[in-house]
Amino acid sequence: SLPAKLINGGIAGLIGVTCVFPIDLAKTRLQNQQNGQRMYSSLSDCLIKTIRSEGYFGMYRGAAVNLTLVTPEKAIKLAANDFFRHHLSKDGKKLTLLREMLAGCGAGTCQVIVTTPMEMLKIQLQDAGRIAAQKKLMAAQAQLSSAPAGAAEPAVETRPTATQITRELLRSKGIAGLYKGLGATLLRDVPFSIVYFPLFANLNKLGQKDPNVKAPFYVSFLSGCVAGSTAAVAVNPCDVIKTRLQSLQRGVNEDTYSGILDCTKKIWQREGPTAFFKGAYCRALVIAPLFGIAQVVYFVGIAEFLLDLLPKHRA
């Protein structure tokens, strides 16, 4: 049922995000830093420096936005894929690869309604620590080289909350402000779903002894991990472009971009083609368990169990 699908998708998203959010934060910071202004050299270096400068919970900055919106996002994505698969297989025949890809395309298109504003707000909060640390380092270096003895330390910059960012965007740009980077999000999420859903479905079928019986949970988990990491790496260039376009604040001497083509051109010319795969392994580490957990929860059917308890409890 649709309520069960939405509940399963929501629970899956909440569990997955809680487990992998620090890696996602590192991915955003690694993707946003440009040549000449590198604060972090690797995933572990980023997490260690984040804990030292912002504390343990600094790794979860922006998590509240994700935890709030990931439920509708994952629910829409998984339920939409099932919806399109059902309607594309009305003739009772097995779905062809093309139709599986079309179903994934539809799911990826539907989810951007929630994904774009969620990613927009999350990126501002995740990257705020990197920009603050960079400005503090630059100020300290300038003070050491030119400031007289006893000069006052630079003021600590306050970081905005998700609510403050939302209000400012709505005030200055309207609802379109929350959908900045919509085109880049579509370029990432539609190909991701086209790759992910058919790959998952076919891997999951390998673990089914009977077509009418669900695959064991570990098969669904491993299928979700493999399909998720493969699709994540495949679309990482689009994710780098989306992250750069959705970042409202820039570090010292960092480029600004007017659109997808301008961003692509500048990254290629100034940072080289390898820059499009910044954070690729972080994204694979995020997506693999995230979608593994999502598929286990979704296919095991926790919601069906919970919904079945309601009538019994009332009785």
Side-chain angles (χ1 to χ4, degrees), residues 30-31 35 38 236-237 240 244 267-280:
L30 290 169
Q31 286 182 340
N35 289 343
R38 294 173 63 86
N236 197 75
V240 172
R244 296 281 182 94
I267 292 174
W268 183 278
Q269 291 179 342
R270 300 176 188 182
E271 301 175 60
T274 56
F276 290 105
F277 287 93
K278 282 183 176 181

Side-chain angles (χ1 to χ4, degrees), residues 121-283:
L121 295 172
K122 182 195 72 170
I123 285 170
Q124 314 318 313
L125 298 170
Q126 285 183 329
D127 206 38
R130 180 187 71 90
I131 294 172
Q134 189 185 87
K135 288 180 178 178
K136 185 177 179 180
L137 179 63
M138 297 289 286
Q141 290 174 347
Q143 191 177 42
L144 286 173
S145 59
S146 60
E153 292 187 4
V156 177
E157 189 175 339
T158 57
R159 297 173 194 168
T161 64
T163 304
Q164 291 171 334
I165 295 170
T166 303
R167 285 176 180 170
E168 178 58 27
L169 285 170
L170 290 174
R171 185 190 64 79
S172 60
K173 299 180 180 179
I175 193 68
L178 290 173
Y179 281 86
K180 183 181 180 183
L182 174 62
T185 305
L186 279 168
L187 281 177
R188 182 196 68 172
D189 288 349
V190 171
F192 177 92
S193 296
I194 289 173
V195 173
Y196 172 78
F197 283 110
L199 183 57
F200 169 79
N202 285 282
L203 289 173
N204 198 53
K205 283 177 187 175
L206 296 176
Q208 289 179 278
K209 295 179 180 179
D210 185 332
N212 297 318
V213 178
K214 290 180 180 179
F217 78 93
Y218 64 86
V219 173
S220 293
F221 177 76
L222 291 174
S223 299
C225 288
V226 173
S229 57
T230 302
V233 173
V235 303
N236 197 75
C238 298
D239 189 55
V240 172
I241 293 168
K242 182 199 73 67
T243 300
R244 296 281 182 94
L245 288 175
Q246 288 188 319
S247 297
L248 299 176
Q249 300 293 323
R250 303 289 177 187
V252 181
N253 300 323
E254 290 185 343
D255 290 327
T256 56
Y257 312 102
S258 60
I260 294 173
L261 292 178
D262 180 57
C263 182
T264 305
K265 182 180 177 182
K266 285 180 178 177
I267 292 174
W268 183 278
Q269 291 179 342
R270 300 176 188 182
E271 301 175 60
T274 56
F276 290 105
F277 287 93
K278 282 183 176 181
Y281 66 98
C282 294
R283 184 161 162 75

Side-chain angles (χ1 to χ4, degrees), residues 20-28 43 47 281-283 285-286:
V20 301
F21 193 83
I23 304 174
D24 186 63
L25 178 136
K27 180 216 65 139
T28 297
L43 166 64
L47 293 178
Y281 66 98
C282 294
R283 184 161 162 75
L285 288 174
V286 168

